[in-house]
Amino acid sequence: MSKSIGLFYGTTTGKTESVAEMIRDEFGGDIVTLHDIGSVENDDFAEYECLIIACPTWNIGELQSDWEGFWHELDDIDFSGKKVAYVGTGDQEGYPDNFMDAMGFWLKRFLNRAVKQLVIGR
């Protein structure tokens, strides 16, 4: 396992991908590797001890479609001992009652696992 960071993102409009690229550029491309969740394998997560999950809240408090399609695959991945940060994007003006609800899905998903978690909103 390397000490670099794997940033896994899902995007529909490209905004979350842009945020992921900004994070990569801030840390440096030699430290953060981007992975579009629509084209990853379960083993891709094993390469990293630190993960960043970038997930927009879509529609009325839903997961973005690529993450929704991958959601059940997460049961087969060993996240124990990993440090995980979450980056949430969404439309706070159009959906103020559901802004960043997807982050709640992630927190519940890993609440009882041996994962250190941090949530970052945008």
Side-chain angles (χ1 to χ4, degrees), residues 79-93:
F79 288 97
S80 60
K82 298 204 182 283
K83 296 176 183 167
V84 182
Y86 307 104
V87 175
T89 59
D91 181 354
Q92 66 186 9
E93 291 179 16

Side-chain angles (χ1 to χ4, degrees), residues 1-119:
M1 186 179 336
S2 72
K3 294 192 184 275
S4 60
I5 300 168
L7 195 160
F8 294 81
Y9 69 92
T11 193
T12 300
T13 63
K15 292 179 183 174
T16 304
E17 180 178 16
S18 294
V19 170
E21 290 169 349
M22 288 174 19
I23 293 168
R24 178 205 55 211
D25 294 347
E26 190 64 31
F27 277 98
D30 56 332
I31 296 173
V32 174
T33 304
L34 299 183
H35 297 273
D36 182 335
I37 197 62
S39 60
V40 302
E41 300 292 327
N42 293 8
D43 293 341
D44 292 335
F45 289 88
E47 297 178 33
Y48 307 98
E49 63 184 47
C50 297
L51 306 171
I52 300 174
I53 304 295
C55 181
T57 299
W58 198 249
N59 291 324
I60 303 174
E62 300 172 16
L63 286 171
Q64 186 267 344
S65 60
D66 293 331
W67 276 115
E68 186 175 28
F70 195 80
W71 195 247
H72 294 293
E73 296 291 324
L74 295 170
D75 290 335
D76 298 327
I77 300 170
D78 181 11
F79 288 97
S80 60
K82 298 204 182 283
K83 296 176 183 167
V84 182
Y86 307 104
V87 175
T89 59
D91 181 354
Q92 66 186 9
E93 291 179 16
Y95 299 94
D97 294 335
N98 307 99
F99 179 61
M100 294 198 31
D101 276 2
M103 295 300 91
F105 293 126
W106 283 103
L107 288 172
K108 289 177 186 174
R109 183 79 180 201
F110 292 121
L111 188 60
N112 294 319
R113 294 190 183 190
V115 176
K116 295 180 182 179
Q117 304 181 72
L118 171 68
V119 179

